[in-house]
Amino acid sequence: MAVAESPVPGTRPLRGDVVAGLTAAAVVIPKAMAYATIAGLPIEVGLYTAFVPMLVYVLLGTSRPLSVSTTTTIAILTGAELSMIVPDADPARLITVTATLTLMVGAILIAASLLRLGFVANFISLPVLVGFKAGIGVVIIVDQLPKLLGLHFDKGSFLHNIGEVVRGLGHLSWPTLAVGLGTIALLTLIERFRPQWPAPLIAVAAAIAGAGLLGWQAHGIDLVGTVPSGFPHLTMPDLDLVEQLWPGACGIALMSFTETIAVGRAFQAPHEPLPRANRELLATGAGNAVSAFFGAMPSGGGMSQTAVNRRAGARSQMAQVFTAGATVATMLLLAPLIGLMPHATLAALVIVYSIGLIHPADFRDILRVRRTEFLWALAAFAGVMLLGTLKGILVAIVVSLVALAQQAADPPVRVLGRKRGTNVFRPPSPEHPDDETFPGLLLLKLEGRLFFMNAERVADKIRPLIAQHRPRYVVIDMSGLFDLEYSALNALVEAERRYRAAGVQLVLAELNPEVYAMVQRSPLGQVLGEERMLFNLEVAVARLQAAAAAPRHAESPT
């Protein structure tokens, strides 16, 4: 009897994955087609991208709910790269270049996995990502406005496109605008009042029905047109394009992995294992590499589709198998119907979901906490719009790294006192006027890493403090110093020699084991000895107070 009952527990998870996979397909398929149009590609490329990468991720991925196809960010980066390589938008050339770009993205991700570079995702800070995504959202909305308004002009830079849209307002197509606004209204109402319904699928179905039954094309409303049915044909990349495409492929690979690992972690349930960064690199890389030969565009984990997948009850990667199956059914059976979809409907889909990338509250929260990182977010936001997507993110990353280098080059040097009656040492403040100080002792605390870039800056901060307090002993609490680089150690040796010549002795307290071992192996360790490398500030104060009160000729606290 036990054997007969064993399949029952497994039925429920599978049923949940079936429901989740088909529900996610209702979101993934329309959005994937819309994202293909963002990249300037035929909409069937979106279907190919919602098929192969998913199946590869099922075999290699480590996140249970993650749904993989493509995203708004990847689509706009892909479109920017394609527009540079294929400015005339020749269809055959676009497919070849896309396959090459997708293969290169996959190869870069796989190489990063083999080199265990999963930490690279941390190169993009959250403020930079907030600004970058908001900039991407604005760029995409401006890019889709002509389709929503029924305008036609040659695309250019962000500012050029805005100018052309403004100049074309007098010639917009009112029927096209009505379809677009109607789609936006329908999506918004469903998301607001029936969030469990597949809003993109309903909106697309309504638009196709309207175009088929009411003859919208006769009123000047542009339709998608013929969509090839069946499985994608084998597409061979052109390796002669590698030199031109590698900078863009690196940027797309970085964003693909960053979004994939971020989404995977965001939707991890408490009982599920944390997605493994290097394995995610391999899974997304292999998905891109394989799908390149099927004409797909670059892919990665998607936020909204993963949210739908999880909300619908996905328990394993089997949900993606059913999403991919629904995509295959669409390619084989529904291509003629998809051809009736108005371009304005696709544009409306893109605009609605791109607005979700813009979060003014995030900018406000960053500004409230830290102005410097707010400026990073603004740099990313402006850079994407004014310089283009790839250059914008590179500028933002450089700004972040320069700002971090500036912070590292100017570490704090804190003067300490002791809370009366305790062993708690803290910087003086008006809130604690009765904290103890000790005649003849200057207590300082260093934090972070002391290295060649900031050693002289730290010395510049300490000199006026010595001149102000005229101590017998400068005691440096090194508990917050986690690294001491060789150049900085030499600077410390020289500082000790100068202090000693001026009648001031240097004492180090609470060194971590690595820093302590390094100091001991240096001339500084020989000069200080055990007498001036003490366990903590409390021991140092107890030992040095009496010595500080002794005549100036005393050289040692012992």
Side-chain angles (χ1 to χ4, degrees), residues 129-146:
L129 201 55
V130 167
F132 177 71
K133 288 193 170 185
I136 286 285
V138 173
V139 168
I140 292 173
I141 290 169
V142 171
D143 181 73
Q144 295 297 307
L145 279 177

PDB file of all heavy atoms in Angstrom, residues 129-146:
ATOM      1  N   LEU A 129      22.596  50.953 -10.016  1.00  0.00           N
ATOM      2  CA  LEU A 129      21.575  50.145 -10.686  1.00  0.00           C
ATOM      3  C   LEU A 129      20.230  50.878 -10.715  1.00  0.00           C
ATOM      4  O   LEU A 129      19.504  50.827 -11.708  1.00  0.00           O
ATOM      5  CB  LEU A 129      21.438  48.799  -9.982  1.00  0.00           C
ATOM      6  CG  LEU A 129      20.819  47.655 -10.781  1.00  0.00           C
ATOM      7  CD1 LEU A 129      21.576  47.429 -12.086  1.00  0.00           C
ATOM      8  CD2 LEU A 129      20.778  46.389  -9.958  1.00  0.00           C
ATOM      9  N   VAL A 130      19.895  51.570  -9.622  1.00  0.00           N
ATOM     10  CA  VAL A 130      18.652  52.354  -9.580  1.00  0.00           C
ATOM     11  C   VAL A 130      18.663  53.424 -10.670  1.00  0.00           C
ATOM     12  O   VAL A 130      17.701  53.587 -11.429  1.00  0.00           O
ATOM     13  CB  VAL A 130      18.471  52.987  -8.190  1.00  0.00           C
ATOM     14  CG1 VAL A 130      17.376  54.059  -8.214  1.00  0.00           C
ATOM     15  CG2 VAL A 130      18.111  51.919  -7.151  1.00  0.00           C
ATOM     16  N   GLY A 131      19.759  54.171 -10.755  1.00  0.00           N
ATOM     17  CA  GLY A 131      19.856  55.222 -11.765  1.00  0.00           C
ATOM     18  C   GLY A 131      19.885  54.672 -13.171  1.00  0.00           C
ATOM     19  O   GLY A 131      19.239  55.207 -14.082  1.00  0.00           O
ATOM     20  N   PHE A 132      20.628  53.579 -13.358  1.00  0.00           N
ATOM     21  CA  PHE A 132      20.738  52.973 -14.676  1.00  0.00           C
ATOM     22  C   PHE A 132      19.380  52.489 -15.170  1.00  0.00           C
ATOM     23  O   PHE A 132      18.980  52.762 -16.307  1.00  0.00           O
ATOM     24  CB  PHE A 132      21.733  51.815 -14.614  1.00  0.00           C
ATOM     25  CG  PHE A 132      21.866  51.060 -15.902  1.00  0.00           C
ATOM     26  CD1 PHE A 132      22.486  51.627 -16.997  1.00  0.00           C
ATOM     27  CD2 PHE A 132      21.373  49.767 -16.019  1.00  0.00           C
ATOM     28  CE1 PHE A 132      22.608  50.926 -18.190  1.00  0.00           C
ATOM     29  CE2 PHE A 132      21.491  49.061 -17.197  1.00  0.00           C
ATOM     30  CZ  PHE A 132      22.112  49.640 -18.285  1.00  0.00           C
ATOM     31  N   LYS A 133      18.648  51.786 -14.325  1.00  0.00           N
ATOM     32  CA  LYS A 133      17.352  51.254 -14.745  1.00  0.00           C
ATOM     33  C   LYS A 133      16.346  52.369 -15.004  1.00  0.00           C
ATOM     34  O   LYS A 133      15.536  52.285 -15.930  1.00  0.00           O
ATOM     35  CB  LYS A 133      16.833  50.272 -13.701  1.00  0.00           C
ATOM     36  CG  LYS A 133      17.582  48.961 -13.687  1.00  0.00           C
ATOM     37  CD  LYS A 133      16.845  47.905 -12.876  1.00  0.00           C
ATOM     38  CE  LYS A 133      17.475  46.543 -13.082  1.00  0.00           C
ATOM     39  NZ  LYS A 133      16.715  45.466 -12.414  1.00  0.00           N
ATOM     40  N   ALA A 134      16.391  53.414 -14.190  1.00  0.00           N
ATOM     41  CA  ALA A 134      15.482  54.538 -14.430  1.00  0.00           C
ATOM     42  C   ALA A 134      15.806  55.203 -15.772  1.00  0.00           C
ATOM     43  O   ALA A 134      14.898  55.553 -16.547  1.00  0.00           O
ATOM     44  CB  ALA A 134      15.592  55.554 -13.296  1.00  0.00           C
ATOM     45  N   GLY A 135      17.092  55.363 -16.060  1.00  0.00           N
ATOM     46  CA  GLY A 135      17.486  55.934 -17.352  1.00  0.00           C
ATOM     47  C   GLY A 135      17.055  55.055 -18.508  1.00  0.00           C
ATOM     48  O   GLY A 135      16.556  55.537 -19.530  1.00  0.00           O
ATOM     49  N   ILE A 136      17.232  53.737 -18.339  1.00  0.00           N
ATOM     50  CA  ILE A 136      16.788  52.786 -19.356  1.00  0.00           C
ATOM     51  C   ILE A 136      15.281  52.923 -19.580  1.00  0.00           C
ATOM     52  O   ILE A 136      14.792  52.920 -20.718  1.00  0.00           O
ATOM     53  CB  ILE A 136      17.123  51.345 -18.915  1.00  0.00           C
ATOM     54  CG1 ILE A 136      18.624  51.069 -19.055  1.00  0.00           C
ATOM     55  CG2 ILE A 136      16.318  50.332 -19.699  1.00  0.00           C
ATOM     56  CD1 ILE A 136      19.090  50.864 -20.455  1.00  0.00           C
ATOM     57  N   GLY A 137      14.526  53.037 -18.476  1.00  0.00           N
ATOM     58  CA  GLY A 137      13.072  53.174 -18.593  1.00  0.00           C
ATOM     59  C   GLY A 137      12.675  54.382 -19.414  1.00  0.00           C
ATOM     60  O   GLY A 137      11.813  54.296 -20.312  1.00  0.00           O
ATOM     61  N   VAL A 138      13.312  55.521 -19.148  1.00  0.00           N
ATOM     62  CA  VAL A 138      12.994  56.747 -19.897  1.00  0.00           C
ATOM     63  C   VAL A 138      13.373  56.591 -21.367  1.00  0.00           C
ATOM     64  O   VAL A 138      12.617  56.970 -22.272  1.00  0.00           O
ATOM     65  CB  VAL A 138      13.716  57.954 -19.265  1.00  0.00           C
ATOM     66  CG1 VAL A 138      13.522  59.202 -20.129  1.00  0.00           C
ATOM     67  CG2 VAL A 138      13.207  58.213 -17.860  1.00  0.00           C
ATOM     68  N   VAL A 139      14.565  56.018 -21.629  1.00  0.00           N
ATOM     69  CA  VAL A 139      15.018  55.834 -23.011  1.00  0.00           C
ATOM     70  C   VAL A 139      14.047  54.936 -23.779  1.00  0.00           C
ATOM     71  O   VAL A 139      13.689  55.223 -24.932  1.00  0.00           O
ATOM     72  CB  VAL A 139      16.442  55.227 -23.027  1.00  0.00           C
ATOM     73  CG1 VAL A 139      16.808  54.752 -24.436  1.00  0.00           C
ATOM     74  CG2 VAL A 139      17.451  56.255 -22.546  1.00  0.00           C
ATOM     75  N   ILE A 140      13.595  53.864 -23.161  1.00  0.00           N
ATOM     76  CA  ILE A 140      12.681  52.935 -23.839  1.00  0.00           C
ATOM     77  C   ILE A 140      11.343  53.598 -24.129  1.00  0.00           C
ATOM     78  O   ILE A 140      10.766  53.440 -25.214  1.00  0.00           O
ATOM     79  CB  ILE A 140      12.480  51.667 -22.999  1.00  0.00           C
ATOM     80  CG1 ILE A 140      13.775  50.859 -22.960  1.00  0.00           C
ATOM     81  CG2 ILE A 140      11.360  50.804 -23.562  1.00  0.00           C
ATOM     82  CD1 ILE A 140      13.724  49.677 -22.023  1.00  0.00           C
ATOM     83  N   ILE A 141      10.829  54.337 -23.159  1.00  0.00           N
ATOM     84  CA  ILE A 141       9.534  55.012 -23.368  1.00  0.00           C
ATOM     85  C   ILE A 141       9.624  55.968 -24.545  1.00  0.00           C
ATOM     86  O   ILE A 141       8.742  55.987 -25.426  1.00  0.00           O
ATOM     87  CB  ILE A 141       9.119  55.742 -22.077  1.00  0.00           C
ATOM     88  CG1 ILE A 141       8.747  54.717 -20.997  1.00  0.00           C
ATOM     89  CG2 ILE A 141       7.941  56.681 -22.344  1.00  0.00           C
ATOM     90  CD1 ILE A 141       8.578  55.315 -19.619  1.00  0.00           C
ATOM     91  N   VAL A 142      10.690  56.759 -24.596  1.00  0.00           N
ATOM     92  CA  VAL A 142      10.871  57.684 -25.723  1.00  0.00           C
ATOM     93  C   VAL A 142      11.017  56.905 -27.026  1.00  0.00           C
ATOM     94  O   VAL A 142      10.488  57.301 -28.072  1.00  0.00           O
ATOM     95  CB  VAL A 142      12.091  58.593 -25.474  1.00  0.00           C
ATOM     96  CG1 VAL A 142      12.429  59.399 -26.725  1.00  0.00           C
ATOM     97  CG2 VAL A 142      11.816  59.529 -24.303  1.00  0.00           C
ATOM     98  N   ASP A 143      11.714  55.766 -26.976  1.00  0.00           N
ATOM     99  CA  ASP A 143      11.920  54.957 -28.173  1.00  0.00           C
ATOM    100  C   ASP A 143      10.606  54.383 -28.698  1.00  0.00           C
ATOM    101  O   ASP A 143      10.441  54.202 -29.919  1.00  0.00           O
ATOM    102  CB  ASP A 143      12.898  53.819 -27.838  1.00  0.00           C
ATOM    103  CG  ASP A 143      13.183  52.936 -29.036  1.00  0.00           C
ATOM    104  OD1 ASP A 143      13.909  53.386 -29.935  1.00  0.00           O
ATOM    105  OD2 ASP A 143      12.663  51.798 -29.075  1.00  0.00           O
ATOM    106  N   GLN A 144       9.664  54.072 -27.797  1.00  0.00           N
ATOM    107  CA  GLN A 144       8.402  53.446 -28.205  1.00  0.00           C
ATOM    108  C   GLN A 144       7.301  54.453 -28.539  1.00  0.00           C
ATOM    109  O   GLN A 144       6.271  54.072 -29.113  1.00  0.00           O
ATOM    110  CB  GLN A 144       7.910  52.514 -27.094  1.00  0.00           C
ATOM    111  CG  GLN A 144       8.815  51.327 -26.840  1.00  0.00           C
ATOM    112  CD  GLN A 144       8.918  50.409 -28.041  1.00  0.00           C
ATOM    113  OE1 GLN A 144       7.915  49.956 -28.589  1.00  0.00           O
ATOM    114  NE2 GLN A 144      10.152  50.119 -28.465  1.00  0.00           N
ATOM    115  N   LEU A 145       7.492  55.708 -28.175  1.00  0.00           N
ATOM    116  CA  LEU A 145       6.449  56.711 -28.433  1.00  0.00           C
ATOM    117  C   LEU A 145       6.053  56.820 -29.907  1.00  0.00           C
ATOM    118  O   LEU A 145       4.861  56.961 -30.217  1.00  0.00           O
ATOM    119  CB  LEU A 145       6.892  58.080 -27.903  1.00  0.00           C
ATOM    120  CG  LEU A 145       6.705  58.312 -26.403  1.00  0.00           C
ATOM    121  CD1 LEU A 145       7.248  59.685 -26.006  1.00  0.00           C
ATOM    122  CD2 LEU A 145       5.235  58.200 -26.007  1.00  0.00           C
ATOM    123  N   PRO A 146       7.004  56.776 -30.861  1.00  0.00           N
ATOM    124  CA  PRO A 146       6.580  56.853 -32.267  1.00  0.00           C
ATOM    125  C   PRO A 146       5.582  55.759 -32.659  1.00  0.00           C
ATOM    126  O   PRO A 146       4.623  56.030 -33.399  1.00  0.00           O
ATOM    127  CB  PRO A 146       7.907  56.691 -33.030  1.00  0.00           C
ATOM    128  CG  PRO A 146       8.944  57.161 -32.083  1.00  0.00           C
ATOM    129  CD  PRO A 146       8.468  56.752 -30.725  1.00  0.00           C
TER     130      PRO A 146
END
